[in-house]
Amino acid sequence: PQIIRVNQVFAAYQELHQRFRETYPRDDVRPWTFQKIAQILAYYRLSLEYTQGILSRTDNLAKILDPGKGISVPPDKAADILKEYEQYITFSFFHVVFSSVEGSMRSLVARIPVRDSRGKPCRGTSKFYDVYHGLIDVTGVDPEYRNLFELLLLMRNCIHNRSLYFSDKGAKVVVYRGTAYNFIQGKPIEFATISLIFDFLLDVRDFFAAVYLSERMQREPHIPDNII
């Protein structure tokens, strides 16, 4: 089921890559935004296929977990190892996708004048909070996307602690599209399933499409991608 869903999200991103590639230069951030995420999805699919097609075979798993290689795992823990490995590749996938999304936004604010929460010019090196708020302000897209990126930012920070939430500001609740997502101090973010991540990725796709089709962005004939 995960591979089927990956293919669906991949196709959605590829569709917009083709669309914007026909309009803008090869190194423009607009087609590359979708192409880079499509590539990351393809790599994630490859990891899933490897996990399900190779590691799920007991004989292969026994070879990989050979004590002679310094890995000593009781046979009855093989299922736990597979689950932990799948969690690892999912966390890695999310982290790389988030970095790609952030990178595209930073390429935009390096070229498009936007202002941060204090009214000062927002640059490519500004805090991500200011970057996405500034872009939403200047393009006039749905303000609900502010909550989406706050949610994704908090999720990204939790990944550094094996999905546990810690903050000096205490617990946090983010409401997005009518659903409340709770971040509880010292607790894992159990709502962050791969299925939900895919849902959010489709919303991210729609966000970028709306931004790039906005009147402000269409006035720019060329916005170089700084991270190609």
Side-chain angles (χ1 to χ4, degrees):
Q2 287 188 31
I3 292 177
I4 293 173
R5 192 75 194 285
V6 170
N7 290 338
Q8 293 171 343
V9 181
F10 173 86
Y13 272 86
Q14 278 290 80
E15 176 189 358
L16 286 185
H17 168 245
Q18 295 292 341
R19 177 178 177 180
F20 285 98
R21 189 176 66 173
E22 294 171 358
T23 306
Y24 297 105
R26 181 180 178 84
D27 65 339
D28 195 282
V29 69
R30 284 161 283 199
W32 266 103
T33 293
F34 305 105
Q35 176 62 12
K36 285 190 288 189
I37 294 179
Q39 288 175 342
I40 295 167
L41 283 160
Y43 298 149
Y44 179 61
R45 178 178 59 205
L46 183 63
S47 296
L48 289 176
E49 291 171 344
Y50 178 82
T51 302
Q52 297 175 9
I54 299 179
L55 294 185
S56 58
R57 289 179 51 185
T58 305
D59 54 339
N60 282 327
L61 189 63
K63 294 176 183 177
I64 293 170
L65 301 180
D66 181 358
K69 297 179 180 179
I71 306 175
S72 181
V73 178
D76 61 340
K77 296 294 183 180
D80 293 336
I81 292 296
L82 283 175
K83 183 177 180 180
E84 185 171 330
Y85 180 75
E86 289 179 348
Q87 182 185 58
Y88 167 78
I89 61 174
T90 298
F91 283 175
S92 299
F93 162 70
F94 179 78
H95 196 281
V96 175
V97 163
F98 186 94
S99 296
S100 182
V101 169
E102 183 177 355
S104 292
M105 289 193 192
R106 291 189 182 280
S107 292
L108 292 173
V109 300
R111 184 67 176 256
I112 308 297
V114 302
R115 295 193 172 273
D116 62 20
S117 56
R118 298 171 299 284
K120 296 181 179 180
C122 185
R123 299 178 175 83
T125 55
S126 299
K127 292 181 178 179
F128 183 58
Y129 175 91
D130 290 325
V131 169
Y132 69 78
H133 276 277
L135 282 174
I136 291 170
D137 289 340
V138 79
T139 58
V141 299
D142 187 350
E144 184 75 2
Y145 286 122
R146 301 181 196 275
N147 295 337
L148 171 64
F149 290 111
E150 180 182 15
L151 185 54
L152 293 176
L153 180 58
L154 288 169
M155 289 170 59
R156 192 278 305 272
N157 293 342
C158 289
I159 285 179
H160 296 304
N161 297 304
R162 292 181 62 84
S163 87
L164 298 176
Y165 173 75
F166 292 101
S167 174
D168 294 337
K169 299 178 181 179
K172 178 80 174 180
V173 179
V174 178
V175 179
Y176 175 64
R177 304 293 190 205
T179 299
Y181 298 93
N182 294 282
F183 293 82
I184 303 172
Q185 193 80 332
K187 299 294 183 180
I189 48 170
E190 296 180 350
F191 61 79
T193 63
I194 188 60
S195 178
L196 185 66
I197 290 173
F198 288 150
D199 289 342
F200 288 162
L201 267 182
L202 290 175
D203 289 348
V204 168
R205 168 190 177 271
D206 293 343
F207 163 79
F208 277 116
V211 165
Y212 295 157
L213 292 172
S214 69
E215 186 274 335
R216 178 63 187 88
M217 288 296 172
Q218 292 192 72
R219 297 206 310 260
E220 298 291 333
H222 184 211
I223 306 175
D225 190 316
N226 296 333
I227 319 178
I228 291 180

